[in-house]
Amino acid sequence: MSAVPSLRHLLLLRPRLRFFALSTSSSPFLSYAPSHHFSPSSLRVLSSSSSPTLTQEEADEVVGKGSSLIDVNPPRGTRDFPPDDMRLRNWLFQNFREVSRILSFEEVDFPVLESEALFIRKAGEEITQQLYNFEDKGGRRVVLRPEITPSLARLVIKQGKSVSLPLKWFTIGQCWRYERMTRGRRREHYQWNMDIFGVSKVRGEAELIQAIVLLFERLGINSSDVGIRVSSRKVLQAVLQMYAIPENLFTQVCVIVDKLGKITREEIEKELLSLGVSIQAVNGIIEVLSLKSLSKLEEVLGSEEEAVSELKKLFSLAESYGYADWICFDASVVRGLAYYTGIVFEAFDREGKLRAICGGGRYDRLLSTFGSEDIPACGFGFGDAVIVELLKDKGLLPDLAHRVDDIVFPLDEVLDGTASRIASSLRKKGRSVDLVEDKRLKWVFKHAERIGASRLILVGNSEWERGAVRVKNLSTREEFEVKIDELV
Ligand code: HAM
């Protein structure tokens, strides 16, 4: 018996497995597949990371005693992309690309494997503790990148004076983080990034937020489903100045206070106190971070403060762009990455069920941490996992069934050459054609329905003698005899 169990074996031999196949859903892209029929893609639930793994006994039953089935699950926290999931992913990426094009960004790409040095930062960020890092065969320390921003910075430095500023780049790539998994958080995910280098004004952030809003709108999400919380790291900087906290503690303070709401206030206090921040300053910081109104912030920091004027400018630009109802000021947004220096933002679902949908901000001093001259920069990362969860919850997943234009089916084996010629000629004209052989006509009709074919082209002996084929229009059910050279 073959080592790979056939679908039929699984269905015939294991009724219990069949139940799992039809009812279990675990991948963020999963459950999109209609469950009323058992398509090959439904089989993937058997191999998804959280579905039950086959026991040895079950495996023996499927493949025959003596041989052992390898673990068909991808590594924990990672995903396979069977056709239904791949269609959904492509659809999402097309939307990412289209929005980037509309905003006049150019696409770039980087290796998933990067040198570890690019990601070594000392601020105690979670991301640096989640690295997939190892030594390659040449003894070099490398990582599977957890994010794309450092690679982007590396390329900007490498390109040097040859790039003309402002530079607007986008990329879509896989990132790896050894995460504790929750809904929408995985060990690998794809991130759409849009970044601008060379714009120091909040125009940069305003453009990025428009891109995010346009994306949501394209996906059918509106401002009552999702909001974008905005603040600025300069708020915290101003508070630290008020309490005369040394500048060199700024990044560490940011990373610690980003955990507000994730760990207890006592733990935050403990961490800040251990940095040497006074209890009065800790209370002051936490108080300011609870502000949700820009006018209150202005009262506390004064209208001269850069944080206040920049945020006010951003909110006034938001009115002009027409997305003011999407954004709100929330001083608690700090973001967990060390390099942010100014405005920071995160999109969230208003029902509060999911983790951040996307996030970004200004990072004007990242390049100097790599020994280069700084260039003002801002950007965001938008993952592929949380958004799919949200679309699922809102019933907004698109109908993306596999579609072909024509099925070409020779009714006699001797006509396989003719069928190949017909399929080839239609394909050269740009039609998608499935050439089917060795099946019963009944199966071919069912198959045509399943893949939504618009025409069935039957190549039969008697028609072929007249240089023709039978063409069945599957939507009107009409059937014609069509001369080969008239077939388009
Ligand atoms: P981040 O907030 O760490 O920022 O990630 C950005 C987005 O990536 C998150 O909002 C989420 O959509 C997605 N994401 C992150 N981790 C996971 C995970 N484990 N599973 C699924 N999705 C995830 C950054 O990475 C910054 N480099 C973004 C940036 C670009 N800032 C400026 N430019």
Side-chain angles (χ1 to χ4, degrees), residues 169-181:
W169 282 353
F170 82 96
T171 188
I172 302 169
Q174 197 178 33
C175 297
W176 292 81
R177 299 182 188 185
Y178 199 81
E179 280 256 15
R180 196 177 58 80
M181 288 192 300

Side-chain angles (χ1 to χ4, degrees), residues 127 130 146-150 152 175-177 179 184-195 335-337 339-340 346-347 355-363 378-387:
I127 199 170
Q130 297 171 330
E147 55 160 338
I148 307 180
T149 314
L152 190 68
C175 297
W176 292 81
R177 299 182 188 185
E179 280 256 15
R185 279 290 182 279
R186 325 192 54 85
R187 298 213 168 138
E188 58 68 30
H189 69 280
Y190 284 84
Q191 245 190 46
W192 167 43
N193 279 231
M194 288 181 80
D195 290 84
R335 310 241 329 120
L337 297 164
Y339 47 69
Y340 292 115
E346 268 176 8
R355 286 179 61 174
I357 306 167
C358 69
R362 177 162 289 280
Y363 51 101
C378 56
F380 68 81
F382 193 122
D384 67 338
V386 182
I387 187 66

Side-chain angles (χ1 to χ4, degrees), residues 297-431:
L297 183 77
E298 191 169 352
E299 268 173 39
V300 176
L301 299 183
S303 55
E304 298 301 300
E305 188 56 56
E306 216 172 46
V308 175
S309 57
E310 285 182 0
L311 283 163
K312 279 171 78 177
K313 178 70 186 171
L314 181 61
F315 278 81
S316 110
L317 284 172
E319 292 283 350
S320 318
Y321 279 89
Y323 60 69
D325 50 338
W326 288 80
I327 66 169
C328 55
F329 169 70
D330 182 341
S332 71
V333 177
V334 179
R335 310 241 329 120
L337 297 164
Y339 47 69
Y340 292 115
T341 52
I343 289 192
V344 277
F345 51 86
E346 268 176 8
F348 64 99
D349 69 300
R350 293 201 192 264
E351 284 186 54
K353 288 196 202 152
L354 301 164
R355 286 179 61 174
I357 306 167
C358 69
R362 177 162 289 280
Y363 51 101
D364 286 349
R365 293 193 288 275
L366 180 58
L367 298 200
S368 60
T369 65
F370 295 138
S372 180
E373 209 175 296
D374 275 323
I375 300 176
C378 56
F380 68 81
F382 193 122
D384 67 338
V386 182
I387 187 66
V388 169
E389 292 295 331
L390 183 69
L391 292 171
K392 231 195 265 181
D393 284 358
K394 302 274 171 208
L396 290 170
L397 285 175
D399 175 15
L400 298 170
H402 177 45
R403 292 269 175 263
V404 303
D405 295 325
D406 301 322
I407 292 182
V408 173
F409 179 57
L411 291 163
D412 191 317
E413 216 174 301
V414 296
L415 292 170
D416 63 350
T418 310
S420 314
R421 267 195 296 282
I422 293 168
S424 169
S425 132
L426 288 169
R427 285 170 179 161
K428 282 180 190 164
K429 288 175 187 144
R431 293 187 68 82

Side-chain angles (χ1 to χ4, degrees), residues 115-123 125 128 131 133 143 369-370:
S115 81
E116 189 184 55
L118 206 54
F119 296 90
I120 299 295
R121 300 192 290 252
K122 295 195 178 67
E125 299 153 276
T128 58
L131 286 183
N133 49 354
V143 296
T369 65
F370 295 138

Side-chain angles (χ1 to χ4, degrees), residues 268-304:
I268 302 269
E269 271 180 27
K270 211 168 126 198
E271 287 194 33
L272 288 174
L273 290 171
S274 75
L275 271 189
V277 177
S278 69
I279 188 68
Q280 290 85 346
V282 170
N283 290 334
I285 290 169
I286 293 177
E287 205 171 304
V288 170
L289 291 186
S290 70
L291 296 179
K292 304 270 184 269
S293 127
L294 210 42
S295 51
K296 263 263 166 308
L297 183 77
E298 191 169 352
E299 268 173 39
V300 176
L301 299 183
S303 55
E304 298 301 300

